[in-house]
Amino acid sequence: GEIIERRDVEFRCLLCGEATALEERSEFLGSFIHSAIQWDEVQRIVVITMYRPRTSEWSSPFTRRKRS
């Protein structure tokens, strides 16, 4: 995956990658998946959540839609 958002102060980042086994549906952006990750100073990482980006919230798998 690729880091698409990084919050170093909170030790968190958001990754985006393609999961080719996912069924493509119109409400989701292809077969991409997002993973929210947190790490600590001891080099441990924790997957907080994983989800499929929705077309209503993301203009591409890597870009959030601007809120109005």
Side-chain angles (χ1 to χ4, degrees):
E2 180 180 327
I3 295 175
I4 58 175
E5 291 181 7
R6 189 176 178 110
R7 297 183 181 148
D8 290 331
V9 175
E10 299 171 356
F11 300 103
R12 288 187 180 191
C13 66
L14 182 63
L15 301 175
C16 179
E18 193 165 9
T20 56
L22 289 176
E23 176 185 340
E24 292 194 28
R25 292 183 169 174
S26 61
E27 70 262 31
F28 301 116
L29 292 168
S31 57
F32 288 90
I33 194 161
H34 287 177
S35 300
I37 307 292
Q38 184 160 353
W39 67 90
D40 64 19
E41 297 173 12
V42 189
Q43 303 295 336
R44 286 184 242 166
I45 63 169
V46 176
V47 176
I48 297 169
T49 190
M50 296 178 81
Y51 62 90
R52 295 179 69 178
R54 293 188 176 276
T55 55
S56 61
E57 299 173 26
W58 294 82
S59 56
S60 81
F62 304 93
T63 309
R64 283 187 198 269
R65 289 194 181 279
K66 296 198 187 267
R67 295 183 183 190
S68 49

